[in-house]
Amino acid sequence: YDESIAAYRSIAGRAPALSVVNLQIAAAYRNKKDYDSAIAAYNELLKTDPTNDKAIVGIGMTNLEKGDLKAAEDTLTKAAQSPKPTREVFYNLGEVKFAKGSTDEAAQWYQKAVDLDPSWGKPLFKLALVQLNKGDKDATVKALEKVIAADPTSQEAAQAKAVIEQLKK
């Protein structure tokens, strides 16, 4: 990762207009579990592009990986209140709520992601997991079938099929 970081920093030094290279730098730091440096790289991008959702989501998810649920929630809640939040903002705010054990709130955010992109399997699958956590087998199967119908070639569809098989046993 250190070699990648050095290479990306070199690119950023030679072409400062390519500020999005900070996303790659941040990703390398996250892989190293150097969360503070990852957040710093995301913030570097936000200096030139203050509304970059990838950087904002990256900060939120880095805070989640770091174990700082409050910072993750604060960052993503602010992004969700922006004029044009993305499906990723909603989905990842759902992830934070799920990690906190607030499954009903998580479901609301996953649903907002689905509302923006009904064909995206990830939030649909998470909505199915919320039903599974509630112990509602029938609702879980119906939700999993929605994943398969909406995004049939996704990893989530494959997982949905496997969970349906388990539930039918």
Side-chain angles (χ1 to χ4, degrees):
Y1 297 116
D2 291 331
E3 288 177 24
S4 295
I5 291 167
Y8 287 127
R9 288 209 183 278
S10 173
I11 292 167
R14 285 183 276 145
L18 290 176
S19 59
V20 293
V21 78
N22 282 297
L23 293 173
Q24 300 303 322
I25 294 168
Y29 278 124
R30 282 174 73 182
N31 286 327
K32 283 181 60 169
K33 306 209 182 313
D34 183 348
Y35 301 122
D36 292 334
S37 295
I39 291 170
Y42 287 126
N43 281 320
E44 201 57 40
L45 173 55
L46 291 174
K47 286 179 186 174
T48 57
D49 184 2
T51 60
N52 186 296
D53 280 335
K54 289 181 180 177
I56 294 166
V57 168
I59 290 170
M61 298 315 292
T62 302
N63 279 314
L64 180 62
E65 292 166 13
K66 186 178 171 179
D68 189 343
L69 295 178
K70 181 176 180 352
E73 184 174 23
D74 291 349
T75 300
L76 293 168
T77 298
K78 183 179 175 188
Q81 295 166 347
S82 71
K84 290 195 175 194
T86 62
R87 68 183 195 163
E88 288 80 6
V89 168
F90 291 148
Y91 173 80
N92 285 295
L93 187 51
E95 291 289 87
V96 172
K97 298 290 187 179
F98 200 86
K100 290 179 71 176
S102 303
T103 53
D104 289 338
E105 284 183 75
Q108 292 172 3
W109 292 108
Y110 293 140
Q111 186 59 54
K112 286 180 186 249
V114 170
D115 292 346
L116 282 181
D117 184 354
S119 66
W120 191 25
K122 282 179 100 163
L124 287 167
F125 185 75
K126 291 298 180 140
L127 284 168
L129 292 182
V130 168
Q131 294 302 323
L132 185 63
N133 280 348
K134 290 181 178 182
D136 189 336
K137 188 175 174 181
D138 291 335
T140 300
V141 170
K142 286 179 186 169
L144 291 168
E145 289 170 346
K146 284 183 184 178
V147 176
I148 297 164
D151 197 1
T153 60
S154 69
Q155 178 181 350
E156 290 75 20
Q159 291 174 313
K161 290 174 187 171
V163 174
I164 289 171
E165 289 286 320
Q166 290 298 314
L167 290 174
K168 288 185 177 179
K169 288 184 179 180

